[in-house]
Structure formats: C-alpha cells, structure tokens
Amino acid sequence: MPRSPFIVDSHVHLDQVAEHSPDRIAWLRNNQVMVISWAWCPRVENRAELAAYLERMARTVRGLAEKGLACRYLAGIHPRNISPDLDPARVEELLAPSMEDPLCVGLGETGLETADSREKEILCAQAEFFLGARKRRDLVLGVHTPRKDKDRVAEEVRSLLAGFDLPRDRVVVDHCTPSTAPRFLEAGYWAGVTLSPIKNSADDLLSIARDLPDHAGRILANTDSGTEFYTDLFDLARTPPGDADPALVSRLIRDNALKFYDLQG
C-alpha cells in the first residue's frame, strides 16, 4: 500500500463499487486513492443475511487489497440494515470476528436514520461493543446521520453518544453539513463531510473548515460512493478553488484521514 496516497476517501462502500462500477477499482488504484470502506448492504431481510453480508464485504476488501488497492474497512450495522430478528445481545457475535482482521480499523457504519427506539437500541449495543473491543485494539467508530430530517436526527445522535464514555477523538460522525458539523466538532468528535451532487459541495466543505479553523484538523472528506460512484473529492484535489489554502485542502482530502485512521507511515 502506498505510504503517501494522493487522496484518502474516508467513507466508501467498496464492495458496492466493485459490484456496480468495477472499472473504478483500477481508477482508484491508478489515481493513488486510498479508501476506507464502511459496511452497508442495500437489502437485508434477517440476521443470517446480515452476517453473510459482513463476511462477504470483508472478503471483498481483503481481495482488493491483495490486488494492490490501498484500502481498509469498518464493520458495523447500518441503521437501514437492522433486521426484525436482530437481538441486541447478538451484536457482539456478529461483529467480533471482523475486529480481529488487521484490515478492519473499526466499527461502522453505525448511527441513526429515523431515530426510532429500535435504531437507538442497536446503536447503543454497538457503542457498548466498541468500548469493549477497544480494550484489545485501538479502533475507531463511524456514525451515520441521514439526509432527511438531518438536524433533528443529528441531535438525537449527539445526545445518545453523550451517554457513553466514548473516546471522542476516535469517533467520526459522518454526512455532516454546515449546520450539523459544528455541534460534533465543538463537542470533540470528528466530522465527516460527504462530497457528491446529492450531499455537500466542495464549497460546503471548505466553508466548514474556514468557519471552524480550530477544528479543521478533525474534518474528514469522503464521497460515500457505492452503488453510484462520485469523483467530487478527486475533482477538489485536482482543481481546488483559486482562493483555497493548499495546506488546508491537503488536510481535508488526505492528511486528516491518515491521522484519524492511524495510517501514517
């Protein structure tokens, strides 16, 4: 794996990219893009399917790493992957095997989509598991916030996380916007900002960093590519706005992610 990638896309769904845009795997490798793959399955009906998905996702990432792609992954239960038969007491059983994989750097994609009681129950179970797993390895926690009703659900995420004694410098709350990023950055968490036509623009990302200069070292840029592939992060790296500080752009597109995921050479 390259010691100094051009870009680190801090949140993608690499297994979905490999399935839906297989030509992009070579594109990522050729353009020196390191990727952190988060767990999310487009469709899960029951706990057995979720377990099979997590195994398949990890196997895909390992196979691509063996072929020369710079990649790591998070394993977790996305709020849209919570099946009716998933018992919170079995969360550890589902996730523990991945935490022993050297390519697995943490737990994710956890979080809330609607903030109903079921989602909160599973997120709490994952937070408890994360705290226990960290006693054996220095793992990170990746947390989802939704596109719809973002401000309300983001506040539910913030409130729930605050109830755990989490190492906030090892937690990233993702899909943040200019309105939600400050509440997590100012509380000591990292903030993920997704660049794509349906989420944030490069100007949104830069405005967050400029408005919160004391926290710019804890912002992670990503594309959340999966069933659709986005080049917005690469486009920012290749052609940054003329008024953008090159050092700040480097932090947002690469350096911060290398630090957070402890991938610095």
Side-chain angles (χ1 to χ4, degrees):
M1 183 175 64
R3 294 172 66 88
S4 298
F6 178 48
I7 299 169
V8 179
D9 193 339
S10 65
H11 179 163
V12 302
H13 301 286
L14 189 53
D15 54 316
Q16 302 301 321
V17 173
E19 178 180 352
H20 295 278
S21 305
D23 58 310
R24 288 296 186 173
I25 300 301
W27 184 92
L28 290 166
R29 186 171 54 244
N30 293 339
N31 285 289
Q32 294 181 276
V33 181
M34 178 188 291
V35 295
I36 311 297
S37 187
W38 293 33
W40 167 72
C41 185
R43 185 179 179 86
V44 166
E45 296 289 343
N46 52 57
R47 179 189 167 280
E49 287 185 359
L50 177 57
Y53 165 72
L54 290 171
E55 292 177 5
R56 184 170 66 251
M57 181 269 297
R59 188 165 58 248
T60 296
V61 174
R62 286 194 296 268
L64 292 173
E66 290 171 358
K67 294 178 180 178
L69 180 66
C71 55
R72 297 287 189 273
Y73 74 94
L74 305 182
I77 304 166
H78 192 289
R80 297 204 304 271
N81 288 162
I82 298 172
S83 61
D85 65 344
L86 178 58
D87 182 346
R90 302 193 72 177
V91 163
E92 179 173 359
E93 178 185 331
L94 272 172
L95 300 179
S98 295
M99 300 304 120
E100 302 303 317
D101 185 348
L103 286 184
C104 180
V105 292
L107 187 65
E109 181 166 2
T110 68
L112 301 177
E113 182 73 20
T114 65
D116 65 22
S117 59
R118 177 75 168 143
E119 290 180 358
K120 291 179 179 180
E121 182 181 45
I122 297 300
L123 177 52
C124 286
Q126 293 188 88
E128 291 283 7
F129 170 71
F130 172 70
L131 288 171
R134 272 188 54 82
K135 295 176 182 178
R136 298 183 295 278
R137 287 185 62 197
D138 181 22
L139 302 167
V140 303
L141 179 65
V143 184
H144 166 92
T145 59
R147 268 183 275 171
K148 295 181 179 179
D149 203 8
K150 184 176 285 288
D151 286 331
R152 179 188 69 83
V153 177
E155 185 56 30
E156 293 276 8
V157 168
R158 189 204 61 77
S159 178
L160 190 148
L161 294 179
F164 293 87
D165 187 22
L166 295 169
R168 296 188 180 190
D169 63 335
R170 306 303 287 146
V171 178
V172 57
V173 180
D174 217 332
H175 310 319
C176 286
T177 62
S179 68
T180 62
R183 76 186 70 186
F184 294 110
L185 290 169
E186 291 169 356
Y189 301 103
W190 290 62
V193 180
T194 301
L195 305 186
S196 76
I198 59 175
K199 292 187 178 174
N200 294 290
S201 67
D203 286 342
D204 291 328
L205 170 67
L206 292 169
S207 71
I208 294 170
R210 288 164 175 162
D211 290 346
L212 299 163
D214 292 343
H215 303 298
R218 284 186 289 109
I219 299 171
L220 304 179
N222 65 75
T223 65
D224 193 29
S225 292
T227 54
E228 297 290 334
F229 190 89
Y230 303 109
T231 64
D232 299 57
L233 183 56
F234 179 79
D235 296 340
L236 170 61
R238 184 182 55 185
T239 313
D243 62 345
D245 177 1
L248 176 60
V249 173
S250 292
R251 294 173 82 182
L252 298 173
I253 68 171
R254 180 188 62 229
D255 301 342
N256 288 350
L258 290 174
K259 179 180 178 181
F260 179 70
Y261 288 111
D262 195 23
L263 296 172
Q264 301 176 100

